[in-house]
Amino acid sequence: MSIELLIEEERKSIKQIEDARTKADKKIADSQKEAQKILDQAIKKEFILKYLQKEEEKVNEEAKKVLNKYKKDVTKIKQIPSNKIQKTVDRIIDEVLKI
Amino acid sequence: MSDAINSIKNEIKRRADEESKKIISNADGEAQKVLHAAKEKAERIRTETVKTEVTTMRKKIIGSAQLDGRKTIINAKEEALSKTFDKVNEKLIDIANRKDRKFKYEEILFKLIKEAAIGIDEKKIVVGANKKDLSYISSNLSSIKRKLEKELGYKLELTIMKEPRYIIGGIIVYNVDKTKIFNNTLDGRLMGLKDSMRGDISKVLFE
């Protein structure tokens, strides 16, 4: 009787370990499936487009700053002091009439 | 049940529990590794895939902004230069109309005729000018001719064109058969200087 109890207990333990192995294999298999989903997602167009859109917005902001810098330079050109212009005019006149 | 049997039974159970826990724990660890590796790889793929596109897009957008910016600078400079030359034009008109007392226009006119005569290198020349200057030259032809001959050192036959030129001032001189021409108008002289002086003028105005 006692031996049978022990044999039964051993059978249960073997089953328990087998069940644990089955569960373990499923966990690993599930993680591999999930990993593949993650990799597939990485090259999905929607994600890439969204990312690109965000980057484009950043670059457009940068471009605005570039243009603003040029606009400031244009303003400087349009605000050349009149005495500077007059000096230039006189210089040209001198050249025209240099005979 | 004897104590011994109980003890063995408990040991079997204990070992089974321990083994099961170990198996599950190892599987959890393995699963985490797999997921972590996948996430890292996904991030690398995303970055690499998008990197080239972002670089290209950046070059295009920033490049375009710089090009537009440079164009606006060029246009602004052209406008400033154009306005400057307009002012020069206005001043030349005043000088030719004898409104600017700083300049003795008649002396300028004589020098222009002399320079043109030397350039043409002919004994007979024909002089063209605007209406006002033709009238002046015509009224003072003898004295102008005399002075020219004295300064040039040879006799000179000077005729005036009948039709006036639509110019600011200065003169055009031809030889008799019109095979030679010397444009010594103020307009022509200004036009000739526009290109050659552009660099110097830009330096003065924009630096």
Side-chain angles (χ1 to χ4, degrees), chain A residues 2 5-6 9-10 13 16-17 20-21 23-24 27 31 34-35 38-39 42-43 47 51-52 56 59-60 62-63 67 70 73-74 77 80 84 88-93 95-99, chain B residues 1 5 8-9 12 16-17 19-20 23-24 27-28 31 34-35 38 42 45-46 50 53 57-58 61 65 69-70 72-73 77 87-88 91-92 103 111-112 189 193 197 201 204-207:
Chain A
S2 311
L5 273 168
L6 289 175
E9 200 56 45
E10 186 64 28
S13 77
Q16 185 183 346
I17 290 167
R21 284 205 179 107
K23 202 173 169 184
K27 269 187 191 272
S31 74
E34 187 60 31
I38 291 169
L39 288 174
I43 53 168
F47 169 81
Y51 185 87
L52 280 172
E56 195 174 344
V59 174
N60 281 333
E62 236 180 279
L67 281 170
Y70 279 108
D73 291 342
V74 166
I77 291 168
I80 297 172
K84 213 177 189 184
T88 310
V89 168
D90 290 343
R91 198 175 150 179
I92 298 169
I93 293 286
E95 284 298 314
V96 171
L97 301 179
K98 201 192 271 182
I99 307 159
Chain B
M1 216 187 296
I5 298 291
I8 295 169
K9 186 183 162 191
I12 292 169
D17 286 346
E19 184 68 20
S20 304
I23 290 167
I24 298 293
D28 280 340
V34 165
L35 285 173
I45 290 170
R46 272 195 284 261
V50 166
E53 288 199 44
M57 173 184 54
R58 164 179 288 277
I61 293 174
R70 282 197 284 268
T72 59
I73 296 279
K77 283 185 177 179
K87 285 187 188 295
V88 171
K91 190 150 184 180
L92 286 175
F103 297 90
K111 283 179 183 172
L112 290 170
R189 291 174 73 89
L193 284 169
M197 280 191 85
I201 294 166
V204 171
L205 284 177
F206 307 130
E207 282 170 27

Coordinates of all heavy atoms in Angstrom, one line a residue, chain A residues 2 5-6 9-10 13 16-17 20-21 23-24 27 31 34-35 38-39 42-43 47 51-52 56 59-60 62-63 67 70 73-74 77 80 84 88-93 95-99, chain B residues 1 5 8-9 12 16-17 19-20 23-24 27-28 31 34-35 38 42 45-46 50 53 57-58 61 65 69-70 72-73 77 87-88 91-92 103 111-112 189 193 197 201 204-207:
Chain A
S2 N 1.8 1.2 0.8 CA 2.7 2.4 0.9 C 3.4 2.6 -0.4 O 3.6 3.8 -0.8 CB 3.7 2.2 2.1 OG 3.1 1.7 3.2
L5 N 1.3 4.3 -2.9 CA 1.1 5.7 -2.6 C 2.3 6.5 -3.2 O 2.1 7.6 -3.8 CB 1.1 6.0 -1.1 CG -0.3 5.9 -0.4 CD1 -0.2 5.9 1.1 CD2 -1.2 7.0 -0.9
L6 N 3.5 5.9 -3.0 CA 4.7 6.6 -3.5 C 4.7 6.6 -5.0 O 5.1 7.6 -5.6 CB 5.9 5.9 -2.9 CG 6.2 6.1 -1.4 CD1 7.4 5.3 -1.0 CD2 6.4 7.6 -1.1
E9 N 2.4 9.2 -6.1 CA 3.0 10.5 -5.9 C 4.0 10.8 -7.0 O 4.1 12.0 -7.5 CB 3.6 10.6 -4.5 CG 3.8 12.0 -4.0 CD 2.6 12.9 -3.9 OE1 1.5 12.4 -3.5 OE2 2.7 14.0 -4.3
E10 N 4.8 9.8 -7.3 CA 5.8 10.0 -8.4 C 5.1 10.3 -9.7 O 5.6 11.2 -10.5 CB 6.6 8.7 -8.5 CG 7.8 8.8 -9.4 CD 8.8 9.9 -9.0 OE1 9.0 10.2 -7.8 OE2 9.5 10.4 -9.9
S13 N 4.0 13.8 -9.8 CA 5.1 14.8 -9.9 C 5.6 14.8 -11.3 O 6.0 15.9 -11.9 CB 6.3 14.4 -8.9 OG 7.0 13.3 -9.4
Q16 N 3.2 16.8 -13.2 CA 3.4 18.2 -12.8 C 4.5 18.8 -13.6 O 4.4 19.9 -14.1 CB 3.6 18.4 -11.3 CG 3.7 19.8 -10.8 CD 4.0 19.9 -9.3 OE1 3.9 18.9 -8.6 NE2 4.4 21.0 -8.9
I17 N 5.6 18.1 -13.7 CA 6.8 18.6 -14.4 C 6.5 18.7 -15.9 O 6.8 19.6 -16.6 CB 8.0 17.7 -14.1 CG1 8.5 17.9 -12.7 CG2 9.2 18.0 -15.1 CD1 9.4 16.9 -12.1
A20 N 4.4 21.7 -16.5 CA 5.3 22.9 -16.4 C 6.1 23.0 -17.7 O 6.2 24.2 -18.2 CB 6.3 22.7 -15.2
R21 N 6.6 21.9 -18.3 CA 7.3 22.0 -19.5 C 6.4 22.5 -20.7 O 6.8 23.4 -21.5 CB 7.9 20.7 -19.9 CG 9.1 20.3 -19.1 CD 10.1 19.4 -19.8 NE 11.2 19.1 -18.9 CZ 11.4 18.0 -18.2 NH1 10.6 17.0 -18.3 NH2 12.5 17.9 -17.4
K23 N 3.7 24.3 -20.4 CA 3.4 25.7 -20.1 C 4.7 26.6 -20.5 O 4.5 27.6 -21.2 CB 3.2 25.9 -18.6 CG 2.4 27.2 -18.3 CD 2.0 27.2 -16.8 CE 1.5 28.5 -16.4 NZ 1.2 28.6 -15.0
A24 N 5.8 26.1 -20.2 CA 7.1 26.9 -20.5 C 7.2 27.0 -22.1 O 7.5 28.1 -22.6 CB 8.3 26.2 -19.9
K27 N 4.9 29.5 -23.3 CA 5.4 30.9 -23.0 C 6.4 31.4 -24.1 O 6.3 32.5 -24.6 CB 6.0 30.9 -21.7 CG 5.1 31.3 -20.5 CD 5.9 31.4 -19.2 CE 5.0 31.5 -18.0 NZ 4.5 32.8 -17.7
S31 N 6.0 34.3 -26.9 CA 7.0 35.4 -26.9 C 7.6 35.6 -28.3 O 7.8 36.7 -28.8 CB 8.0 35.3 -25.9 OG 9.0 34.3 -26.2
E34 N 5.0 37.2 -30.5 CA 4.9 38.6 -30.1 C 6.1 39.4 -30.7 O 6.0 40.5 -31.2 CB 4.9 38.8 -28.6 CG 4.7 40.2 -28.1 CD 3.4 40.8 -28.5 OE1 2.4 40.0 -28.7 OE2 3.3 42.0 -28.7
A35 N 7.3 38.7 -30.7 CA 8.5 39.3 -31.2 C 8.4 39.6 -32.7 O 8.7 40.6 -33.2 CB 9.7 38.4 -30.9
I38 N 6.2 42.5 -33.4 CA 7.0 43.8 -33.1 C 7.8 44.1 -34.3 O 7.9 45.2 -34.8 CB 7.8 43.7 -31.9 CG1 6.9 43.6 -30.6 CG2 8.8 44.8 -31.7 CD1 7.6 43.2 -29.3
L39 N 8.5 43.1 -34.9 CA 9.4 43.3 -36.1 C 8.6 43.7 -37.3 O 8.9 44.6 -38.0 CB 10.2 42.1 -36.3 CG 11.3 41.8 -35.3 CD1 12.0 40.4 -35.6 CD2 12.4 42.9 -35.3
A42 N 7.6 47.3 -37.2 CA 8.7 48.2 -37.4 C 8.7 48.7 -38.8 O 9.1 49.8 -39.1 CB 10.0 47.6 -37.0
I43 N 8.3 47.8 -39.8 CA 8.4 48.3 -41.2 C 7.1 48.6 -41.7 O 6.9 48.8 -42.9 CB 9.1 47.2 -42.0 CG1 8.5 45.8 -41.9 CG2 10.6 47.1 -41.7 CD1 8.9 44.8 -42.9
F47 N 3.4 53.5 -39.6 CA 4.3 54.0 -38.6 C 5.4 54.9 -39.2 O 5.7 56.0 -38.7 CB 5.0 52.8 -37.9 CG 6.1 53.3 -37.0 CD1 5.9 53.9 -35.8 CD2 7.4 53.3 -37.5 CE1 6.9 54.4 -35.0 CE2 8.5 53.8 -36.8 CZ 8.2 54.4 -35.5
Y51 N 6.1 58.9 -38.5 CA 7.4 59.3 -38.1 C 7.9 60.4 -39.0 O 8.5 61.4 -38.6 CB 8.3 58.1 -38.0 CG 9.7 58.4 -37.4 CD1 10.0 58.4 -36.1 CD2 10.8 58.8 -38.3 CE1 11.2 58.7 -35.6 CE2 12.0 59.1 -37.8 CZ 12.2 59.0 -36.4 OH 13.5 59.4 -36.0
L52 N 7.8 60.1 -40.3 CA 8.3 61.0 -41.3 C 7.5 62.4 -41.2 O 8.1 63.4 -41.4 CB 8.1 60.5 -42.7 CG 9.2 59.5 -43.2 CD1 8.8 58.8 -44.5 CD2 10.5 60.1 -43.3
E56 N 9.2 65.9 -40.7 CA 9.0 66.9 -41.7 C 8.6 68.2 -41.0 O 9.1 69.3 -41.4 CB 7.9 66.5 -42.7 CG 7.9 67.4 -43.9 CD 7.0 66.9 -45.0 OE1 6.5 65.8 -44.9 OE2 6.7 67.7 -45.9
V59 N 11.7 69.8 -39.6 CA 12.5 70.4 -40.6 C 11.9 71.6 -41.1 O 12.6 72.6 -41.4 CB 12.8 69.3 -41.7 CG1 13.6 70.0 -42.9 CG2 13.6 68.1 -41.2
N60 N 10.6 71.6 -41.3 CA 9.9 72.9 -41.8 C 10.1 74.0 -40.8 O 10.3 75.2 -41.2 CB 8.4 72.6 -42.0 CG 8.1 71.9 -43.3 OD1 8.9 72.0 -44.2 ND2 7.1 71.2 -43.3
E62 N 12.7 74.4 -38.9 CA 14.1 74.8 -39.1 C 14.2 75.7 -40.4 O 14.9 76.7 -40.4 CB 14.9 73.5 -39.4 CG 16.1 73.4 -38.4 CD 16.9 72.1 -38.7 OE1 16.4 71.1 -38.3 OE2 17.9 72.2 -39.4
A63 N 13.5 75.3 -41.4 CA 13.5 76.0 -42.7 C 13.0 77.4 -42.5 O 13.5 78.4 -43.0 CB 12.7 75.3 -43.7
L67 N 14.8 81.0 -43.4 CA 14.2 82.1 -44.2 C 14.1 83.4 -43.4 O 14.3 84.4 -43.9 CB 12.8 81.7 -44.6 CG 12.7 80.7 -45.8 CD1 11.3 80.2 -46.0 CD2 13.2 81.4 -47.1
Y70 N 17.3 85.2 -43.6 CA 17.5 85.9 -44.9 C 16.6 87.1 -44.9 O 17.0 88.2 -45.4 CB 17.1 85.0 -46.0 CG 18.2 84.0 -46.4 CD1 18.1 82.6 -46.1 CD2 19.4 84.5 -47.1 CE1 19.2 81.8 -46.5 CE2 20.4 83.6 -47.4 CZ 20.3 82.3 -47.2 OH 21.3 81.4 -47.5
D73 N 18.3 89.9 -43.3 CA 19.3 90.5 -44.2 C 18.7 91.4 -45.2 O 19.3 92.4 -45.6 CB 20.1 89.3 -44.8 CG 21.0 88.6 -43.8 OD1 21.2 89.1 -42.8 OD2 21.4 87.4 -44.2
V74 N 17.6 91.0 -45.8 CA 16.9 91.8 -46.8 C 16.5 93.1 -46.2 O 16.6 94.2 -46.8 CB 15.6 91.0 -47.3 CG1 14.7 92.0 -48.1 CG2 16.1 89.9 -48.2
I77 N 19.3 95.4 -46.1 CA 19.6 95.9 -47.4 C 18.6 97.1 -47.8 O 19.0 98.1 -48.3 CB 19.5 94.8 -48.5 CG1 20.7 93.8 -48.3 CG2 19.6 95.4 -49.9 CD1 20.6 92.6 -49.1
I80 N 19.4 100.7 -46.2 CA 20.8 101.3 -46.3 C 20.6 102.8 -46.1 O 19.7 103.5 -46.7 CB 21.3 101.1 -47.7 CG1 21.5 99.6 -48.0 CG2 22.6 101.8 -48.0 CD1 21.9 99.2 -49.4
K84 N 24.9 106.9 -47.4 CA 25.7 105.9 -48.0 C 25.3 105.8 -49.5 O 26.2 105.7 -50.4 CB 25.4 104.5 -47.4 CG 26.6 103.6 -47.3 CD 26.3 102.3 -46.6 CE 27.5 101.5 -46.4 NZ 27.2 100.2 -45.8
T88 N 27.6 106.9 -52.9 CA 27.8 105.9 -54.0 C 27.4 106.6 -55.3 O 28.1 106.5 -56.3 CB 26.9 104.7 -53.8 OG1 27.1 104.2 -52.5 CG2 27.2 103.6 -54.8
V89 N 26.3 107.4 -55.2 CA 25.8 108.1 -56.4 C 26.9 109.1 -56.9 O 27.3 109.2 -58.1 CB 24.5 108.9 -56.1 CG1 24.2 109.9 -57.2 CG2 23.4 107.9 -55.9
D90 N 27.5 109.8 -55.9 CA 28.5 110.8 -56.3 C 29.7 110.1 -56.9 O 30.3 110.7 -57.8 CB 28.9 111.6 -55.0 CG 27.8 112.5 -54.5 OD1 26.9 112.8 -55.3 OD2 27.9 112.9 -53.3
R91 N 30.0 109.0 -56.3 CA 31.2 108.2 -56.9 C 31.0 107.8 -58.3 O 31.9 107.9 -59.2 CB 31.4 107.0 -56.0 CG 32.8 106.4 -56.2 CD 33.0 105.3 -55.2 NE 33.9 104.3 -55.8 CZ 34.3 103.2 -55.2 NH1 33.9 102.9 -54.0 NH2 35.1 102.4 -55.8
I92 N 29.8 107.4 -58.6 CA 29.5 107.0 -60.0 C 29.5 108.2 -60.9 O 30.0 108.1 -62.0 CB 28.1 106.3 -60.0 CG1 28.1 105.0 -59.2 CG2 27.7 105.9 -61.5 CD1 26.7 104.4 -59.0
I93 N 28.9 109.3 -60.4 CA 28.9 110.5 -61.3 C 30.3 110.9 -61.6 O 30.6 111.3 -62.8 CB 28.2 111.7 -60.5 CG1 26.7 111.4 -60.4 CG2 28.4 113.0 -61.2 CD1 25.9 111.5 -61.6
E95 N 32.9 109.0 -61.9 CA 33.4 108.1 -62.9 C 32.8 108.4 -64.3 O 33.5 108.4 -65.3 CB 33.1 106.7 -62.6 CG 33.9 106.1 -61.5 CD 35.4 106.0 -61.8 OE1 35.7 105.6 -62.9 OE2 36.2 106.4 -61.0
V96 N 31.5 108.7 -64.3 CA 30.9 109.0 -65.6 C 31.5 110.3 -66.3 O 31.8 110.3 -67.5 CB 29.4 109.3 -65.5 CG1 28.7 109.8 -66.8 CG2 28.7 108.0 -65.1
L97 N 31.8 111.3 -65.4 CA 32.3 112.5 -66.0 C 33.9 112.6 -66.0 O 34.4 113.6 -66.2 CB 31.8 113.7 -65.1 CG 30.3 113.8 -65.1 CD1 29.8 114.9 -64.2 CD2 29.7 113.9 -66.5
K98 N 34.5 111.4 -65.7 CA 36.0 111.4 -65.7 C 36.4 111.3 -67.2 O 36.3 110.3 -67.8 CB 36.5 110.2 -65.0 CG 37.9 110.3 -64.5 CD 38.4 108.9 -64.0 CE 38.2 108.7 -62.6 NZ 38.7 107.4 -62.1
I99 N 36.9 112.5 -67.7 CA 37.2 112.5 -69.1 C 38.7 112.8 -69.2 O 39.2 113.8 -68.7 CB 36.4 113.5 -69.9 CG1 34.9 113.3 -69.6 CG2 36.6 113.5 -71.4 CD1 34.0 114.4 -69.8
Chain B
M1 N -0.3 5.7 7.7 CA 0.9 5.9 6.8 C 2.1 6.2 7.8 O 2.0 6.9 8.7 CB 0.7 7.2 5.9 CG 1.4 7.0 4.6 SD 1.3 8.4 3.6 CE -0.4 8.6 3.4
I5 N 7.2 7.0 4.9 CA 6.5 7.1 3.7 C 6.1 8.5 3.4 O 6.3 9.1 2.3 CB 5.3 6.1 3.6 CG1 5.7 4.7 3.8 CG2 4.4 6.4 2.4 CD1 6.4 4.1 2.6
I8 N 9.0 10.6 2.4 CA 9.4 10.4 1.0 C 8.4 11.1 0.1 O 8.7 11.7 -0.9 CB 9.5 8.9 0.6 CG1 10.6 8.2 1.4 CG2 9.6 8.6 -0.8 CD1 10.6 6.7 1.4
K9 N 7.1 10.9 0.4 CA 6.0 11.5 -0.4 C 6.3 13.0 -0.5 O 6.2 13.6 -1.6 CB 4.7 11.2 0.2 CG 3.5 11.6 -0.6 CD 2.2 11.3 0.1 CE 1.1 12.2 -0.4 NZ -0.1 12.1 0.3
I12 N 9.2 13.9 -2.7 CA 8.8 13.8 -4.2 C 8.1 15.1 -4.6 O 8.4 15.7 -5.6 CB 8.0 12.6 -4.4 CG1 8.8 11.3 -4.2 CG2 7.4 12.6 -5.8 CD1 8.0 10.0 -4.2
A16 N 9.2 18.0 -7.2 CA 8.4 18.3 -8.4 C 8.1 19.8 -8.4 O 8.1 20.4 -9.5 CB 7.1 17.5 -8.3
D17 N 7.7 20.3 -7.2 CA 7.4 21.8 -7.2 C 8.6 22.6 -7.6 O 8.5 23.5 -8.4 CB 7.0 22.2 -5.7 CG 5.6 21.7 -5.4 OD1 4.9 21.3 -6.3 OD2 5.2 21.7 -4.2
E19 N 11.2 21.7 -9.4 CA 11.5 21.5 -10.8 C 10.6 22.3 -11.7 O 11.0 23.0 -12.6 CB 11.5 20.0 -11.1 CG 11.9 19.7 -12.6 CD 13.3 19.9 -12.9 OE1 14.2 20.0 -12.0 OE2 13.6 20.1 -14.1
S20 N 9.3 22.3 -11.3 CA 8.3 23.0 -12.1 C 8.5 24.5 -12.1 O 8.5 25.2 -13.1 CB 6.9 22.7 -11.6 OG 6.6 21.4 -11.5
I23 N 11.4 25.4 -14.2 CA 11.1 25.3 -15.7 C 10.4 26.6 -16.1 O 10.7 27.2 -17.1 CB 10.3 24.1 -16.0 CG1 11.2 22.8 -15.9 CG2 9.7 24.1 -17.4 CD1 10.4 21.5 -15.9
I24 N 9.4 27.0 -15.3 CA 8.5 28.1 -15.6 C 9.4 29.4 -15.5 O 9.3 30.3 -16.4 CB 7.3 28.3 -14.6 CG1 6.4 27.1 -14.8 CG2 6.6 29.6 -14.9 CD1 5.7 27.0 -16.1
A27 N 11.6 29.7 -18.5 CA 10.8 30.1 -19.7 C 10.5 31.6 -19.7 O 10.5 32.2 -20.7 CB 9.5 29.2 -19.7
D28 N 10.1 32.1 -18.5 CA 9.8 33.5 -18.4 C 11.1 34.3 -18.8 O 11.0 35.3 -19.5 CB 9.5 33.9 -16.9 CG 8.0 33.5 -16.6 OD1 7.2 33.4 -17.6 OD2 7.7 33.4 -15.4
A31 N 11.6 34.2 -22.5 CA 10.5 34.9 -23.2 C 10.9 36.4 -23.2 O 10.8 37.2 -24.2 CB 9.2 34.7 -22.6
V34 N 13.7 37.2 -25.6 CA 13.2 37.2 -27.0 C 12.5 38.6 -27.3 O 12.8 39.2 -28.3 CB 12.2 36.0 -27.2 CG1 11.4 36.2 -28.5 CG2 13.0 34.7 -27.3
L35 N 11.6 39.0 -26.4 CA 10.9 40.2 -26.6 C 11.8 41.4 -26.6 O 11.7 42.3 -27.4 CB 9.8 40.4 -25.5 CG 8.6 39.6 -25.6 CD1 7.7 39.7 -24.4 CD2 7.8 39.9 -26.9
A38 N 13.8 41.6 -29.8 CA 12.9 42.0 -30.9 C 12.7 43.5 -30.9 O 12.7 44.2 -31.9 CB 11.5 41.3 -30.8
A42 N 13.7 46.1 -33.7 CA 12.7 46.9 -34.4 C 13.1 48.4 -34.4 O 12.9 49.1 -35.4 CB 11.4 46.8 -33.6
I45 N 15.7 48.9 -37.0 CA 15.1 48.9 -38.3 C 14.4 50.2 -38.6 O 14.6 50.8 -39.7 CB 14.1 47.7 -38.5 CG1 14.9 46.4 -38.5 CG2 13.3 47.8 -39.7 CD1 13.9 45.2 -38.4
R46 N 13.6 50.7 -37.6 CA 12.9 51.9 -37.8 C 13.9 53.1 -38.1 O 13.7 53.8 -39.1 CB 12.1 52.3 -36.6 CG 10.7 51.6 -36.6 CD 9.9 52.3 -35.5 NE 10.2 51.9 -34.2 CZ 9.6 50.9 -33.5 NH1 8.5 50.3 -34.0 NH2 9.9 50.6 -32.3
V50 N 14.2 54.9 -41.8 CA 13.7 56.3 -41.9 C 14.9 57.3 -42.1 O 14.7 58.4 -42.7 CB 12.9 56.6 -40.7 CG1 12.6 58.1 -40.5 CG2 11.5 55.9 -40.7
E53 N 15.6 58.6 -45.6 CA 14.5 59.4 -46.1 C 14.5 60.8 -45.4 O 14.3 61.8 -46.0 CB 13.1 58.8 -45.8 CG 12.9 57.6 -46.7 CD 11.4 57.2 -46.8 OE1 10.6 58.1 -47.0 OE2 11.2 56.0 -46.8
M57 N 14.9 64.3 -47.1 CA 13.9 65.3 -46.9 C 14.5 66.6 -46.4 O 14.2 67.7 -46.8 CB 12.8 64.8 -46.0 CG 11.8 65.8 -45.6 SD 10.6 65.2 -44.4 CE 11.6 64.7 -43.1
R58 N 15.4 66.5 -45.4 CA 16.0 67.6 -44.8 C 16.8 68.4 -45.8 O 16.7 69.6 -45.9 CB 16.9 67.1 -43.7 CG 17.9 68.1 -43.1 CD 18.7 67.5 -42.0 NE 17.8 67.4 -40.8 CZ 17.6 68.4 -40.0 NH1 18.2 69.5 -40.2 NH2 16.9 68.2 -39.0
I61 N 14.3 70.3 -48.1 CA 13.6 71.4 -47.5 C 14.5 72.5 -47.2 O 14.2 73.7 -47.5 CB 12.7 70.9 -46.3 CG1 11.6 70.0 -46.8 CG2 12.2 72.1 -45.6 CD1 10.8 69.4 -45.7
A65 N 14.8 76.2 -48.9 CA 14.7 77.5 -48.1 C 16.0 78.4 -48.3 O 15.8 79.6 -48.5 CB 14.6 77.1 -46.6
G69 N 15.9 81.9 -50.0 CA 16.5 83.0 -49.2 C 17.6 83.8 -50.0 O 17.6 85.0 -50.0
R70 N 18.4 83.0 -50.7 CA 19.5 83.7 -51.5 C 18.8 84.5 -52.6 O 19.3 85.6 -52.9 CB 20.4 82.7 -52.1 CG 21.5 82.2 -51.0 CD 22.6 81.5 -51.7 NE 22.2 80.2 -52.2 CZ 22.4 79.0 -51.5 NH1 22.9 79.1 -50.2 NH2 22.1 77.9 -51.9
T72 N 16.0 86.0 -52.5 CA 15.4 87.3 -52.0 C 16.5 88.3 -51.8 O 16.4 89.5 -52.0 CB 14.6 87.1 -50.7 OG1 15.5 86.5 -49.7 CG2 13.4 86.2 -50.9
I73 N 17.7 87.8 -51.3 CA 18.8 88.7 -51.1 C 19.3 89.3 -52.4 O 19.5 90.5 -52.6 CB 20.0 87.9 -50.5 CG1 19.7 87.4 -49.1 CG2 21.3 88.8 -50.5 CD1 19.8 88.4 -48.0
K77 N 19.2 93.2 -53.4 CA 20.4 93.9 -53.9 C 20.2 94.6 -55.2 O 20.6 95.7 -55.5 CB 21.6 93.0 -53.9 CG 22.1 92.7 -52.5 CD 23.4 91.8 -52.5 CE 24.0 91.6 -51.1 NZ 25.2 90.8 -51.1
K87 N 19.0 107.2 -59.3 CA 19.4 108.5 -58.7 C 20.6 109.1 -59.5 O 20.6 110.3 -59.7 CB 19.9 108.3 -57.2 CG 18.7 108.1 -56.3 CD 19.2 108.1 -54.8 CE 18.1 107.6 -53.8 NZ 17.0 108.5 -53.7
V88 N 21.5 108.2 -59.9 CA 22.6 108.7 -60.8 C 22.0 109.4 -62.1 O 22.4 110.5 -62.5 CB 23.5 107.6 -61.2 CG1 24.5 108.0 -62.2 CG2 24.3 107.1 -59.9
K91 N 20.6 112.7 -61.4 CA 21.6 113.7 -61.2 C 22.2 114.1 -62.5 O 22.5 115.3 -62.8 CB 22.7 113.2 -60.3 CG 23.7 114.2 -59.8 CD 24.3 114.0 -58.5 CE 25.2 115.2 -58.1 NZ 25.8 115.0 -56.8
L92 N 22.4 113.1 -63.4 CA 23.0 113.4 -64.7 C 22.0 114.4 -65.5 O 22.5 115.3 -66.2 CB 23.2 112.1 -65.5 CG 24.4 111.3 -65.1 CD1 24.5 110.0 -65.8 CD2 25.8 112.1 -65.2
F103 N 28.6 121.6 -61.3 CA 29.2 121.1 -62.6 C 29.0 122.1 -63.7 O 28.0 122.6 -63.9 CB 28.5 119.8 -63.0 CG 28.7 118.6 -62.0 CD1 27.8 118.4 -61.0 CD2 29.8 117.8 -62.1 CE1 28.0 117.4 -60.1 CE2 30.0 116.8 -61.2 CZ 29.1 116.6 -60.1
K111 N 34.9 118.6 -73.3 CA 35.8 117.5 -73.1 C 35.3 116.2 -73.8 O 36.1 115.4 -74.3 CB 36.0 117.3 -71.6 CG 36.9 118.3 -70.9 CD 36.9 118.0 -69.4 CE 37.8 119.1 -68.7 NZ 37.7 119.0 -67.3
L112 N 34.0 116.1 -73.8 CA 33.4 114.9 -74.4 C 33.7 114.9 -75.9 O 34.0 113.9 -76.5 CB 31.9 114.8 -74.1 CG 31.6 114.4 -72.6 CD1 30.1 114.6 -72.4 CD2 32.0 113.0 -72.3
R189 N 27.9 106.4 -71.3 CA 29.0 106.3 -70.3 C 28.6 105.6 -69.0 O 29.2 104.8 -68.5 CB 29.6 107.6 -70.0 CG 30.4 108.2 -71.2 CD 30.8 109.7 -70.9 NE 31.9 109.7 -70.0 CZ 33.2 109.7 -70.3 NH1 33.6 109.6 -71.6 NH2 34.1 109.8 -69.4
L193 N 29.6 101.8 -67.4 CA 30.1 101.7 -66.0 C 29.2 100.8 -65.1 O 29.7 100.2 -64.2 CB 30.1 103.1 -65.3 CG 31.2 104.0 -65.8 CD1 31.0 105.4 -65.2 CD2 32.6 103.5 -65.3
M197 N 31.4 98.7 -62.6 CA 31.4 99.2 -61.3 C 30.6 98.4 -60.3 O 30.6 98.7 -59.1 CB 31.0 100.6 -61.2 CG 32.0 101.6 -61.7 SD 31.5 103.3 -61.3 CE 32.0 103.5 -59.6
I201 N 30.5 98.9 -56.3 CA 29.3 99.6 -55.7 C 28.6 98.6 -54.7 O 28.2 99.1 -53.6 CB 28.3 100.0 -56.8 CG1 28.9 101.0 -57.7 CG2 27.0 100.5 -56.2 CD1 28.2 101.2 -58.9
V204 N 30.4 98.8 -51.4 CA 30.2 100.0 -50.6 C 28.8 100.0 -50.0 O 28.6 100.3 -48.9 CB 30.3 101.2 -51.6 CG1 29.8 102.5 -50.9 CG2 31.8 101.4 -52.0
L205 N 27.8 99.5 -50.8 CA 26.4 99.6 -50.3 C 26.1 98.5 -49.3 O 25.4 98.7 -48.3 CB 25.5 99.4 -51.5 CG 25.3 100.6 -52.4 CD1 24.3 100.3 -53.5 CD2 24.7 101.8 -51.6
F206 N 26.6 97.3 -49.5 CA 26.1 96.1 -48.8 C 27.1 95.6 -47.7 O 26.7 94.6 -47.0 CB 25.7 95.0 -49.7 CG 24.8 95.4 -50.8 CD1 25.1 95.1 -52.1 CD2 23.7 96.1 -50.6 CE1 24.3 95.5 -53.2 CE2 22.8 96.6 -51.6 CZ 23.1 96.2 -52.9
E207 N 28.2 96.2 -47.6 CA 29.1 95.7 -46.5 C 29.3 96.6 -45.4 O 29.0 97.8 -45.5 CB 30.5 95.4 -47.1 CG 30.4 94.0 -47.9 CD 31.6 93.7 -48.7 OE1 32.7 94.2 -48.4 OE2 31.5 93.0 -49.7

